[in-house]
Amino acid sequence: MQPLSQAEAVARAALVQVHSYHVDLDLTGTSSGPRFTSTTTVSFSCRQPGAATFAELKAIGVELARLNGRDLGPGAVAGGRLALPDLLADNTLEVRATMECTNTGEGLHRFTDAEDGEVYLYAQSFLDDAARIFACFDQPDLKAPLSLTVTSPPSWEVRGNGAGTRVGPGRWEFAPTAPLSTYVVSLVAGPYQVWSATHDGVALGLVCRRSLAPYLDAQAAEIFEITTGCLDHYHELFGIRYPFGKYDQAFVPEFNMGAMENPGLVVFRDELVFRSAVTEAERERRAVVIAHEMAHMWFGDLVTMRWWDDLWLNESFAEYLGTRVTAAATRFTDAWTSFAVGRKSWGYAADQRPSTHPVAPDDVADTARALLNFDGISYAKGASALRQLVEWVGDDAFLAGLRAYFTAHAFGNATLDDLLTALARASGKDLTAWSAAWLRRAQVDTLRPEVILDDSGAYVSVEITRTAPADHPAERPHRVGIGVYDSDPDNAPDGAPGPVTLVRRVLVDLPSSPAGGRTPVPELAGTRPGRLLLLNDGDLTYAKIRFVAGELPGLGAVLAELGDPLARAVVWAAVADATRDAEWPAADYLALAARALPAERSVAVFEDALRFAAATVVDVFLPERDQPAARAALAGACRRVIAGAAGTSGLLLAAARGLVRCAGTSEADELRGWLTGRGVPDGLVVDPDLRWLVLDRLVVLDAAGEAEIAAELDRDRSTRAAEHAARSRAAIGEPAAKARAWQAVTEDRATSVRLVAATAQGFWRPEQAELTAGYVDRYFADMPTLASARSPHAVRQVAAAAFPRYAVEAWTLAAAQEMLSRGDVGQVLSRVVVDAADDLRRALTARELHLRVISAP
């Protein structure tokens, strides 16, 4: 299908104004097959009568296409576009078409539950897939009210954006919506279960499939509590009530993203209905997703970007507000700590790749390019820039500007300039230079402290140097907290330095053009250094930070005693970044992790630090010969956490998962014992998801295989079990198993993309580098063919999961670069490989540093 270009969208918006959609869907056949009938009537006007344009329609058969009573003929549809010639001032388009459900999470996704055999549907119109459901003008600035009617099997529940009424057996009518962009039109249909509540006049609903109903029933009170707390807080912040009537939240299977902000019917991936034990950090992440999607009701749904170049108006604001409101309106008050160590690190990584782009690019050529910008830059970097902006203009002015923006553009569209104008008026500050530096320029600054001490050991001077990459110069202003941390000798146990606490904190503005990139901090003159000088204390800005020379070797001990979880998060993120940049050896990071992880009290920080240590530093940055000993060291750190964890704490579960992840062959018998209830740590429940994690590790260790996977599937027949099994089957260390898995990844179209991606995830294992070496070239040979036959969402998932990330060799990088030089790659696959190749380049550099360090005399 041809992507819609920005130029085409601008031209069509200048020509056409859409007044209404009426969509009638006949879903009665979907209980037994993938096809359904869509009948659409579109009312629209044309500013230049006699002109021509087109609507989008991705159908497998068109029974009727009529414009103003005139049949358009069988050749009117080509490449997903319906030609509309000879327009009148006022027009009516009628289309009846046969559409097809997908197994890719695009359009109307059809899913059969393995547990009860029931069929469940949900509509995903993002980014340009509304035309897989109904004929439309599929661009964000042609908003219109939509009326929906649905015919379904009589026993089904159907939910849409508007309030629905069952008017007969299987027949549903939905109230017309407020003006919506087509990419947020949605519905769910099937034997879904519903929980209902009302808060402050807003009808609330929770929806999930039957097999998950017992789990959602146990979690509904918590989700409603988070929802109502966030709703109240948004009303307080914005002064504008939720504008779309009811508020359903549907948890659906095989969803491509975390969630989607369809007004009145927010859709979430149903992994967020927990069926096994989870940590408090995972519950917090669910709360942040709920708050994020609710922010979109204002940022994205009430006021919508005009085109995808202003994606930041949606995602950066939702990311910022989702974290802010979670911290303020729910029990998860440390949400900014999790953001600092997790989401923000995602932004830093994305921003340093060759594919980096500004938060608000000058243009986005087409919808295919737009899809690629849904990344850590548009989300985490944009949110960080907003946090910096709030510090600069003040919270009251920031909120006043947002309220003016909503009032001026309600139910319409807006641009970067529209929002900045509202914020500038409210704050009295010119935001031109700020937006140019933070929104229009890519990459990230690095901040380093330089200190001089006097004879007594106090600071004579402290300066902050700021540098930007040579190929991405920028003059970004920063507001930075600088914290001096030291031990309190009065609270120190005998023979120990004692807890590390904040002694002094100053707030410094780094202007956009400091002389030579240096900013003095005279406030710290005469202060004793303590054990840590922490730049970006409080995590107010978006910048890579480094430490005073000589502090790195002692950071493990400092982290173990540092009381402030946000300060620890900033330190962990900084040392991870230094390791990614090969400024710090991988072995030194692992030594720090082994020292500090057993003392970490924040589950979110523990999980992210351990994930980076195991999945990146050990599996990728170390050569194969050094990996077993490094895993053993991390496993030892996890054992110390398990030994000290109280009862059923989240740290116990997180450490148990880490132990499984890092287990070696000598621990295989211990893991087998967990599956039978033998030797399980006190307080740990080996529930279904943990059982699959244990079994997967046993497969990698050649201590389990197909027989054990099949037996576990007999025990657990859930959809999630099918994904776990696909992942573990691909990990079986036998040539025949690898051949079957690779064929499934590259050729299987009948299986859902989620299962294919799970197979790809399980295929490459660092312990099996020799076994899978022959598939490295296969990846670069097979992926272009897969990309030409798959949808963009499928390519993005499968190609990323299938990349040979553990083949850390120069020839792998050369093969990637050779593939990129060809003309048969396509935008999505090219982006996947560019990013993966950059990670590979970093891994090669990290290994070179490691080898130099260990071979040094």
Side-chain angles (χ1 to χ4, degrees):
M1 301 293 181
Q2 181 180 351
L4 180 68
S5 72
Q6 184 172 10
E8 289 174 321
V10 169
R12 189 163 63 176
L15 183 68
V16 167
Q17 181 178 1
V18 186
H19 300 298
S20 66
Y21 289 99
H22 183 274
V23 179
D24 184 89
L25 302 178
D26 185 348
L27 307 179
T28 53
T30 57
S31 60
S32 57
R35 295 187 176 184
F36 64 99
T37 301
S38 171
T39 303
T40 306
T41 301
V42 190
S43 172
F44 66 100
S45 56
C46 175
R47 297 181 180 92
Q48 299 176 26
T53 188
F54 61 90
E56 281 82 5
L57 177 62
K58 301 175 183 178
I60 61 172
V62 179
E63 288 74 50
L64 171 70
R66 190 162 53 205
L67 177 64
N68 300 323
R70 184 178 76 252
D71 288 337
L72 294 174
V77 179
R81 294 182 173 187
L82 173 62
L84 304 176
D86 301 322
L87 295 174
L88 304 177
D90 295 296
N91 301 272
T92 300
L93 173 65
E94 301 168 89
V95 176
R96 184 170 66 251
T98 300
M99 318 295 275
E100 190 163 41
C101 299
T102 73
N103 63 6
T104 62
E106 299 157 295
L108 194 63
H109 183 90
R110 182 178 184 274
F111 169 83
T112 303
D113 193 320
E115 290 183 82
D116 60 14
E118 296 282 6
V119 170
Y120 294 86
L121 308 178
Y122 63 85
Q124 172 67 329
S125 297
F126 169 88
L127 179 145
D128 56 356
D129 281 325
R132 294 180 185 271
I133 305 165
F134 62 102
C136 59
F137 297 100
D138 205 359
Q139 62 187 71
D141 60 342
L142 290 179
K143 301 173 79 169
L146 182 141
S147 300
L148 175 68
T149 54
V150 176
T151 305
S152 72
S155 62
W156 281 15
E157 179 76 24
V158 182
R159 295 268 165 152
N161 297 95
T165 303
R166 195 194 306 258
V167 296
R171 185 64 177 171
W172 295 77
E173 293 181 357
F174 293 85
T177 68
L180 301 181
S181 296
T182 48
Y183 77 90
V184 293
V185 173
S186 190
L187 75 148
V188 299
Y192 286 99
Q193 303 295 288
V194 178
W195 289 255
S196 299
T198 301
H199 178 74
D200 192 20
V202 179
L204 307 176
L206 302 178
V207 181
C208 78
R209 52 197 166 95
R210 286 178 180 172
S211 58
L212 288 179
Y215 306 107
L216 183 52
D217 191 57
Q219 298 164 50
E222 177 182 336
I223 295 173
F224 276 134
E225 180 182 6
I226 291 166
T227 301
T228 56
C230 292
L231 189 63
D232 290 344
H233 201 72
Y234 280 121
H235 286 164
E236 179 184 346
L237 289 177
F238 298 152
I240 296 174
R241 286 183 57 80
Y242 169 68
F244 297 104
K246 65 156 178 104
Y247 195 75
D248 287 337
Q249 297 176 99
F251 297 86
V252 301
E254 299 185 331
F255 198 61
N256 281 332
M257 301 177 291
M260 182 64 200
E261 65 267 21
N262 312 308
L265 181 63
V266 180
V267 175
F268 299 82
R269 65 189 305 147
D270 65 12
E271 286 88 345
L272 292 176
V273 177
F274 306 128
R275 68 172 195 144
S276 295
V278 294
T279 66
E280 193 74 351
E282 288 168 301
R283 291 184 181 275
E284 177 190 90
R285 284 193 284 274
R286 179 171 69 183
V288 171
V289 173
I290 290 170
H292 175 115
E293 301 310 320
M294 192 178 291
H296 275 307
M297 300 302 111
W298 290 265
F299 280 101
D301 294 349
L302 177 64
V303 181
T304 309
M305 66 204 165
R306 186 168 296 168
W307 179 249
W308 301 102
D309 53 347
D310 277 324
L311 172 64
W312 83 290
L313 291 175
N314 283 20
E315 298 304 345
S316 299
F317 277 86
E319 184 82 1
Y320 165 73
L321 288 160
T323 305
R324 170 177 171 160
V325 170
T326 298
T330 77
R331 74 173 190 270
F332 302 107
T333 55
D334 287 335
W336 282 117
T337 297
S338 303
F339 178 84
V341 77
R343 301 290 284 184
K344 203 168 183 182
S345 295
W346 175 42
Y348 288 142
D351 206 14
Q352 296 176 76
R353 291 188 172 117
S355 62
T356 187
H357 58 85
V359 172
D362 289 324
D363 65 86
V364 173
D366 55 33
T367 51
R369 176 66 61 180
L371 176 64
L372 304 179
N373 287 349
F374 283 79
D375 59 13
I377 297 169
S378 296
Y379 286 75
K381 180 182 181 179
S384 301
L386 289 173
R387 197 176 188 203
Q388 178 85 174
L389 178 63
V390 172
E391 284 292 318
W392 184 42
V393 304
D395 200 49
D396 290 343
F398 179 73
L399 293 175
L402 297 189
R403 291 167 183 161
Y405 169 78
F406 293 141
T407 300
H409 303 285
F411 299 108
N413 298 84
T415 65
L416 165 71
D417 289 342
D418 293 325
L419 179 63
L420 293 181
T421 297
L423 291 173
R425 286 174 179 167
S427 66
K429 294 189 176 183
D430 184 354
L431 301 182
T432 305
W434 178 88
S435 63
W438 279 103
L439 304 180
R440 296 299 197 192
R441 295 174 187 162
Q443 265 282 356
V444 56
D445 293 341
T446 301
L447 308 181
R448 300 175 188 271
E450 293 189 2
V451 305
I452 299 175
L453 305 179
D454 62 18
D455 292 340
S456 70
Y459 292 127
V460 172
S461 70
V462 175
E463 290 187 327
I464 302 175
T465 67
R466 186 194 64 197
T467 57
D471 53 347
H472 288 282
E475 295 179 346
R476 280 176 280 263
H478 296 266
R479 174 158 288 187
V480 184
I482 305 175
V484 179
Y485 286 83
D486 203 359
S487 298
D488 181 357
D490 294 334
N491 292 325
D494 292 340
V500 177
T501 58
L502 181 67
V503 175
R504 178 119 188 249
R505 185 173 187 263
V506 298
L507 198 61
V508 177
D509 285 323
L510 308 187
S512 58
S513 300
R518 307 173 75 90
T519 301
V521 188
E523 298 92 331
L524 289 179
T527 302
R528 299 196 65 81
R531 297 177 67 188
L532 174 67
L533 181 67
L534 182 61
L535 299 190
N536 204 20
D537 189 39
D539 198 39
L540 297 179
T541 196
Y542 175 86
K544 292 152 52 112
I545 69 160
R546 296 297 185 256
F547 300 93
V548 173
E551 281 187 344
L552 274 173
L555 275 183
V558 172
L559 272 172
E561 299 293 340
L562 186 58
D564 181 4
L566 182 55
R568 296 198 306 274
V570 172
V571 173
W572 277 110
V575 294
D577 184 79
T579 308
R580 286 185 75 251
D581 285 352
E583 292 184 18
W584 206 37
D588 288 359
Y589 180 90
L590 291 172
L592 177 145
R595 170 70 175 83
L597 279 173
E600 182 54 60
R601 283 83 75 198
S602 164
V603 178
V605 174
F606 179 90
E607 287 178 334
D608 274 286
L610 179 60
R611 185 181 301 114
F612 179 76
T616 299
V617 180
V618 175
D619 288 354
V620 182
F621 287 179
L622 291 183
E624 287 81 357
R625 70 183 187 189
D626 295 331
Q627 291 176 6
R631 289 193 192 98
L634 291 179
C638 291
R639 287 188 186 280
R640 292 196 290 279
V641 174
I642 292 170
T648 57
S649 74
L651 279 172
L652 172 63
L653 178 57
R657 291 170 177 168
L659 176 59
V660 173
R661 172 68 175 74
C662 298
T665 54
S666 63
E667 287 138 328
D669 185 63
E670 178 183 7
L671 294 187
R672 278 193 293 263
W674 285 19
L675 296 179
T676 60
R678 174 172 49 86
V680 179
D682 290 343
L684 181 67
V685 177
V686 185
D687 51 27
D689 288 336
L690 185 56
R691 287 183 63 86
W692 279 108
L693 186 67
V694 169
L695 180 57
D696 185 79
R697 189 61 188 164
L698 290 172
V699 170
V700 173
L701 296 174
D702 289 329
E706 176 57 39
E708 289 80 6
I709 295 171
E712 195 64 27
L713 269 177
D714 284 340
R715 177 189 182 104
D716 180 4
R717 298 180 179 274
S718 68
T719 298
R720 292 181 200 171
E723 292 183 30
H724 286 304
R727 193 174 296 110
S728 295
R729 281 178 168 139
I732 294 174
E734 298 172 0
K738 293 297 183 185
R740 286 192 298 272
W742 192 254
Q743 183 178 21
V745 168
T746 56
E747 299 179 17
D748 189 350
R749 303 290 183 272
T751 303
S752 76
V753 166
R754 181 67 73 84
L755 285 173
V756 173
T759 300
Q761 291 162 5
F763 185 87
W764 303 99
R765 302 296 177 113
E767 298 88 349
Q768 298 173 342
E770 184 175 348
L771 176 63
T772 55
Y775 287 91
V776 175
D777 287 337
R778 293 276 299 274
Y779 177 89
F780 299 107
D782 293 346
M783 283 302 120
T785 301
L786 180 143
S788 66
R790 284 288 204 175
S791 69
H793 289 283
V795 173
R796 202 177 192 189
Q797 290 183 68
V798 176
F803 188 86
R805 55 195 176 279
Y806 303 125
V808 183
E809 304 286 350
W811 56 268
T812 310
L813 185 58
Q817 293 166 340
E818 191 279 330
M819 191 193 86
L820 291 170
S821 70
R822 304 200 306 260
D824 62 346
V825 177
Q827 289 190 64
V828 176
L829 179 59
S830 177
R831 173 65 176 271
V832 167
V833 175
V834 164
D835 289 350
D838 185 60
D839 289 342
L840 189 61
R841 177 189 59 78
R842 288 178 178 274
L844 286 166
T845 304
R847 288 193 179 189
E848 290 171 3
L849 175 63
H850 173 76
L851 292 174
R852 287 200 306 271
V853 169
I854 64 174
S855 62

